[in-house]
Amino acid sequence: MQLKTPSSPHAHMPASVTSVMLRVVYALIPGLIAYVWFFGWGVVINILFAIVVALGCEAAMLAMRDKPLKPFLTDGSALVTAVLLAISIPPLSPWWITLIGTAFAIIIAKQLYGGLGYNTFNPAMVGYVLLLISFPVEMTSWQAPLMLITQHSLGFLDTLHIIFGGGLPDGLRLDALTTATPLDTLKTQIKLDHSVDEIISTTPIFGHFGGKGGEWISAGFLLGGLWLLYKRVINWHIPVAMIGGLLGMALIFFIINPVSYPSPLFHLFSGATLLGAFFIATDPVTAPASTRGRLLYGALIGVLVYVIRTWGGYPDAVAFAVLLMNLATPTIDYYIHSRVLGHGAKRKD
Amino acid sequence: MIRRLWKFNGGVHLPAHKEESTHHPVQRAPLPKRLILPLHQHIGESAEAVVKVGDQVLKGQMIAHAKGFVSAPVHAPSSGVVVEIGDFPVPHPSGLSAPCIVIETDGADQWTPLQTHGDYTQLDPSALRNIIREAGIVGLGGAGFPSFIKLNPGPGKVVNTLILNGVECEPYITCDDMLMRERAPDIIAGVGIIRHALHARECIVALEDNKPDAYAAMCAAAAGTDIQVVQVPTIYPAGGEKQLVKVLTGMEVPGNGLPIHIGVVCHNVGTAAAVYRAVEYGEPLISRYMTITGGNIAQPRNLEVLIGTPVKDLLDECGWNPGTLERLLMGGPMMGFALPSDSVPVIKTTNCILAMTASDSLPQRPVMPCIRCGACADACPVNLLPQQLYWHAHAKDLDKVQEYNLFDCIECGCCSYVCPSNIPLVHYYRYAKTEIWAKEREKQKAEAARLRYEFRLQRIEREKTERAAKHTQKKEELTAAPADPSDTKKAAIVAAMERAQAKREEIKGGE
């Protein structure tokens, strides 16, 4: 009797790339619920539209590259890219913003680099940064939290109309719907020599320890991130190092001068800090392989976020910091390995 | 006694599948008609047959002797006639054949007279080692290293800790578990012998905490001795030698070193029982406990099996279904290898036959690109970077894979097991190791050729100088020995010529 002789191991865990990616999407749900609660339907519409665009681009590129469609379309990676990008852009962005960003992320940043597993840069962040530097007006028109929009309640159909039709509900102007983000406001006002306390207490967009609504969205992402840690989809190294890097910097300057530098807590719950720490910087494809490498990578992202937020030209910096450190990943991998069992151990003979 | 335990990096929790095969007490497998005994059943040199076709052999009689230092003899597991000596399929993933002695059993199962040795405490370690060597005992845990060598720590080496490995961390396999349950006193007696040979200071029997019955039996047997029976947490591969040393002692076996380099020696519990039988009763290693299990087996269980028994006999004994057999493994699902055929025999290192149906192993899924998720690195019990190793092995960059410590890989399969992309990582490491060994052999061959060539040039050169030396010597002999008459004549001629020359110059000078 002749039998097949495949190589060991002869058992396999049920996990697959798809299940890993889907868990990332599930973990985003608490933050998304908070997002919809505070900012309305815009983000959901953006996400759905981005998913359609991402899968369409992925399919077209796979077909052109003669790759099998089914395993790669169902691997969930395009889905994750689409959702992360859609979360990152302003909720009322016109549809073509989402289209351009997603298409660029999938076609240029992912597929032209070789597709799943081969991209050097986080595709969602490449798409985001492209939009940010190409369309600064649209990308900085952030919707105000719903409770600050007093003139009109923004329903699903209204939002759909704004995003795809470009029109606004009767009697409403865009600047009534939008506002500068808390990070942006703070930055501008500090430059005008106002103290942090003064700014936060006089501007209604600030909440308890971050932006109004934004702090709860961040808390939602934190919850999802902790679930990812619990499920071992991600390791603690990058999030902890990144948060540590950012908080460390924030703490130093806060202690030195609390008038001009907001508290570490504000940094933690503002902008994309927690989304970035758990969902973006942890993208394994573009992060270093060793644990020590990941600690360094995460910490430097945190430091860069603080530096750009505080002294740079953009109010938030997670996307830039991640992309800059993506650049450093090969170098970190080249120099930092893990200590192999028994290496460095002394012989007794 | 509570002993402090340490942790090693990674490892995976696997579905154990141990229950299936532990319901029945261990029975002897029926005597097979034919025993096929490969001459190579252990690491090291093959044994060399000392019987010929037609010879009558008795149970326990040596039929092949150890050739070389790292080698072990083979004994007849039952009485009968040697009917063939030649190449037969052996348990090896390559499916190649290798030299075997085939014995047709006569059913009498008649022992050869056995030599007992009396009180082992009166024997010195080298005599003990000799008995164990002559009994053909090799490590029964899997690798099959001749045991007597591990009983010789070498001059000046102190053994602090003797570890008896009963961890048995692979799923499905329960033969060590059953052995500890049923023959704990034998094992403890064997431990005493091994300890005597090694002069070990402390002595630990380790087993996973999923074997409470074996633990109780071992504790009972060890009562009154200072042998510690220690339960270690159930995580694969806690039974790996380096992992177990770390868990029990907190020390790390140096990379490309051995446990003895930090004063530790490890033996399998089955080996200890075999050592006891050899020293106490003079019995060579001719049988072992093994597990026959898997979804394809009607009555999974453990049997005491004669070495050389064809696998098919055991499958028949336990009830199998050839129609639904998906793969047949020797060893466990993580490190065992798939047998090319059911006609191969059981050898000394066979601890398990695992007959899997398609539902035992997950259906084949497509291999996806590596997403660098790092699950492999988290699972690696030696703390390697499996994805980097894969990357460089895939690119055939053999220098790089060595830089990433390929040879520290113990091929436990944890990385492949957890890989969400379904990449057969271990397969690539084996491939890379084989390539490097081939290159190394190639290099050695080239080196040998170069040495041969240089030696030839040297010889030619030497012959030339020798010839020249001989030549000048002859010349000197010719000029320096004026004894014979022709030489006096020559000398006279030379003298005359010199005189003539002097005269000519005188005349010239006068002009």
Side-chain angles (χ1 to χ4, degrees):
Chain A
M1 179 169 191
Q2 271 314 112
L3 294 161
K4 269 184 271 174
T5 55
S7 174
S8 71
H10 305 276
H12 199 279
M13 212 173 173
S16 64
V17 174
T18 311
S19 67
V20 169
M21 296 293 174
L22 283 182
R23 279 179 167 178
V24 173
V25 175
Y26 299 152
L28 285 165
I29 289 173
L32 276 177
I33 290 173
Y35 208 149
V36 174
W37 178 263
F38 287 103
F39 289 88
W41 291 103
V43 63
V44 176
I45 294 167
N46 280 349
I47 286 175
L48 294 177
F49 181 55
I51 290 172
V52 173
V53 174
L55 289 179
C57 292
E58 185 99 325
M61 289 303 289
L62 287 170
M64 271 191 260
R65 294 177 59 219
D66 272 341
K67 298 276 175 188
L69 287 189
K70 193 175 165 247
F72 287 105
L73 279 183
T74 55
D75 66 24
S77 61
L79 183 72
V80 170
T81 300
V83 175
L84 287 176
L85 180 65
I87 287 176
S88 308
I89 60 180
L92 293 180
S93 303
W95 60 275
W96 51 267
I97 285 277
T98 313
L99 174 75
I100 292 173
T102 313
F104 192 79
I106 296 291
I107 295 171
I108 310 287
K110 183 179 177 191
Q111 288 292 336
L112 290 189
Y113 274 89
L116 175 71
Y118 291 96
N119 47 300
T120 315
F121 299 100
N122 186 316
M125 290 305 101
V126 171
Y128 174 80
V129 165
L130 168 87
L131 293 174
L132 189 62
I133 52 184
S134 310
F135 308 103
V137 177
E138 286 78 3
M139 288 296 286
T140 48
S141 300
W142 282 86
Q143 185 197 329
L146 290 179
M147 49 286 286
L148 296 183
I149 306 174
T150 45
Q151 283 176 294
H152 197 283
S153 69
L154 213 55
F156 181 80
L157 284 177
D158 288 334
T159 317
L160 204 63
H161 187 58
I162 295 170
I163 292 175
F164 284 97
L168 289 164
D170 287 339
L172 202 63
R173 288 175 44 203
L174 192 64
D175 50 3
L177 288 176
T178 58
T179 174
T181 61
L183 279 171
D184 208 357
T185 309
L186 201 71
K187 192 165 199 164
T188 335
Q189 296 290 315
I190 287 172
K191 283 215 178 98
L192 299 172
D193 271 348
H194 295 287
S195 80
V196 172
D197 279 344
E198 199 184 328
I199 302 163
I200 289 179
S201 55
T202 56
T203 321
I205 53 163
F206 292 98
H208 303 286
F209 35 82
K212 185 158 267 164
E215 56 197 11
W216 292 107
I217 297 169
S218 288
F221 291 138
L222 175 63
L223 191 72
L226 293 177
W227 181 76
L228 284 183
L229 278 177
Y230 169 71
K231 285 284 172 192
R232 292 165 183 269
V233 174
I234 56 171
N235 284 315
W236 60 268
H237 306 90
I238 291 176
V240 168
M242 175 178 156
I243 291 169
L246 175 62
L247 293 194
M249 290 290 284
L251 189 66
I252 294 169
F253 286 95
F254 181 67
I255 290 171
I256 295 173
N257 181 6
V259 175
S260 309
Y261 297 97
S263 73
L265 203 62
F266 176 81
H267 274 288
L268 186 61
F269 283 95
S270 293
T273 305
L274 288 165
L275 177 70
F278 288 99
F279 295 89
I280 293 168
T282 50
D283 167 25
V285 175
T286 54
S290 64
T291 42
R292 283 190 283 180
R294 286 175 179 179
L295 285 173
L296 178 68
Y297 172 82
L300 288 176
I301 289 177
V303 170
L304 275 175
V305 168
Y306 190 83
V307 168
I308 300 175
R309 273 184 186 178
T310 311
W311 301 289
Y314 288 88
D316 196 7
V318 171
F320 289 107
V322 167
L323 290 180
L324 286 172
M325 288 310 296
N326 285 167
L327 272 175
T329 292
T331 314
I332 293 175
D333 272 342
Y334 185 84
Y335 286 107
I336 301 183
H337 299 187
S338 49
R339 190 185 72 82
V340 176
L341 182 80
H343 284 246
K346 283 199 186 85
R347 290 182 183 217
K348 277 189 179 169
D349 52 344
Chain B
M1 167 164 189
I2 305 291
R3 191 185 168 89
R4 189 188 156 189
L5 297 179
W6 281 261
K7 267 188 154 159
F8 58 89
N9 180 69
V12 290
H13 293 281
L14 300 168
H17 292 293
K18 303 259 188 185
E19 277 291 299
E20 292 95 310
S21 55
T22 54
H23 293 302
H24 305 276
V26 181
Q27 287 172 324
R28 268 170 196 274
L31 186 66
K33 285 201 179 68
R34 276 157 74 92
L35 290 163
I36 305 161
L37 294 141
L39 294 174
H40 191 246
Q41 303 190 24
H42 51 265
I43 289 176
E45 292 282 306
S46 292
E48 197 171 44
V50 292
V51 289
K52 53 188 192 302
V53 175
D55 281 2
Q56 193 79 33
V57 294
L58 291 175
K59 182 172 185 160
Q61 180 185 330
M62 188 192 285
I63 54 174
H65 73 91
K67 202 175 94 183
F69 181 64
V70 185
S71 185
V74 179
H75 300 78
S78 185
S79 57
V81 183
V82 175
V83 287
E84 269 180 276
I85 298 177
D87 285 359
F88 289 88
V90 292
H92 190 272
S94 67
L96 293 175
S97 298
C100 297
I101 299 172
V102 182
I103 296 172
E104 207 161 86
T105 55
D106 57 14
D109 209 26
Q110 191 192 348
W111 278 99
T112 189
L114 296 177
Q115 194 198 345
T116 54
H117 309 282
D119 182 8
Y120 73 83
T121 54
Q122 302 304 313
L123 295 169
D124 70 298
S126 74
L128 272 179
R129 284 198 289 275
N130 215 29
I131 295 167
I132 288 159
R133 178 173 201 203
E134 289 303 306
I137 296 173
V138 301
L140 296 185
F145 197 73
S147 298
F148 76 96
I149 297 172
K150 276 167 83 176
L151 290 177
N152 188 4
K157 289 213 177 70
V158 179
V159 179
N160 271 318
T161 311
L162 167 64
I163 295 173
L164 268 289
N165 189 343
V167 173
E168 202 166 50
C169 55
E170 272 251 15
Y172 288 99
I173 308 176
T174 55
C175 61
D176 286 350
D177 185 3
M178 294 307 283
L179 185 80
M180 286 188 284
R181 292 190 202 187
E182 298 187 355
R183 286 171 55 191
D186 284 16
I187 296 170
I188 295 295
V191 175
I193 297 168
I194 293 171
R195 188 178 192 179
H196 179 68
L198 288 170
H199 298 300
R201 282 228 284 262
E202 67 164 353
C203 194
I204 306 167
V205 179
L207 67 167
E208 273 187 317
D209 56 13
N210 61 358
K211 305 175 181 62
D213 294 351
Y215 178 66
M218 291 303 289
C219 283
T225 68
D226 64 345
I227 297 169
Q228 305 169 42
V229 183
V230 177
Q231 284 183 303
V232 299
T234 298
I235 183 168
Y236 177 84
E241 194 171 61
K242 293 185 174 191
Q243 282 68 38
L244 187 58
V245 169
K246 170 97 194 201
V247 168
L248 291 174
T249 68
M251 294 189 290
E252 291 183 11
V253 178
N256 61 50
L258 296 169
I260 187 66
H261 293 131
I262 50 168
V264 179
V265 174
C266 299
H267 282 279
N268 174 263
V269 286
T271 314
V275 163
Y276 167 72
R277 300 299 299 182
V279 174
E280 191 66 25
Y281 301 100
E283 284 176 19
L285 180 64
I286 53 169
S287 71
R288 63 163 296 149
Y289 275 22
M290 57 177 287
T291 311
I292 295 97
T293 187
N296 197 266
I297 302 289
Q299 292 173 299
R301 62 170 83 176
N302 283 275
L303 293 172
E304 184 172 2
V305 178
L306 293 180
I307 310 293
T309 304
V311 165
K312 187 170 182 306
D313 289 27
L314 299 172
L315 294 174
D316 289 340
E317 174 67 15
C318 297
W320 64 309
N321 182 356
T324 61
L325 184 67
E326 211 256 340
R327 49 182 100 163
L328 188 62
L329 306 184
M330 190 167 277
M334 296 302 284
M335 292 186 78
F337 57 89
L339 292 174
S341 113
D342 58 1
S343 64
V344 299
V346 165
I347 58 173
K348 291 175 182 179
T349 52
T350 308
N351 50 7
C352 180
I353 295 293
L354 178 53
M356 292 178 120
T357 54
S359 60
D360 283 342
S361 53
L362 285 171
Q364 281 294 305
R365 289 182 308 196
V367 173
M368 299 289 286
C370 170
I371 54 168
R372 293 168 46 98
C373 64
C376 49
D378 293 339
C380 179
V382 264
N383 220 357
L384 294 167
L385 289 172
Q387 66 195 32
Q388 308 289 78
L389 278 172
Y390 158 69
W391 188 256
H392 295 304
H394 196 259
K396 298 188 182 173
D397 190 342
L398 298 180
D399 291 333
K400 260 290 195 272
V401 283
Q402 288 186 82
E403 213 176 282
Y404 278 91
N405 303 305
L406 171 72
F407 284 97
D408 283 279
C409 171
I410 58 171
E411 300 182 22
C412 65
C414 286
C415 50
S416 302
Y417 179 81
V418 297
C419 179
S421 296
N422 215 15
I423 300 168
L425 294 161
V426 180
H427 190 78
Y428 282 95
Y429 311 149
R430 285 203 197 99
Y431 154 80
K433 284 180 184 175
T434 322
E435 283 291 291
I436 291 165
W437 285 326
K439 277 252 160 69
E440 206 55 42
R441 269 200 299 278
E442 212 47 39
K443 220 160 85 186
Q444 274 167 8
K445 250 193 220 160
E447 182 66 15
R450 188 182 63 81
L451 285 177
R452 244 190 345 260
Y453 177 69
E454 279 177 3
F455 187 73
R456 179 167 171 270
L457 286 186
Q458 235 171 42
R459 196 191 63 216
I460 291 171
E461 190 63 28
R462 196 190 60 225
E463 282 173 358
K464 215 160 138 189
T465 46
E466 272 173 8
R467 255 204 314 276
K470 237 184 229 160
H471 203 75
T472 40
Q473 199 186 350
K474 218 167 204 167
K475 225 176 188 171
E476 274 168 16
E477 273 169 15
L478 286 178
T479 47
D484 78 300
S486 64
D487 278 350
T488 28
K489 208 184 261 174
K490 236 183 224 164
I493 293 168
V494 171
M497 278 167 73
E498 276 172 1
R499 273 199 308 277
Q501 178 73 22
K503 203 144 226 170
R504 265 203 295 280
E505 272 168 15
E506 214 172 275
I507 293 165
K508 259 188 198 164
E511 277 174 1

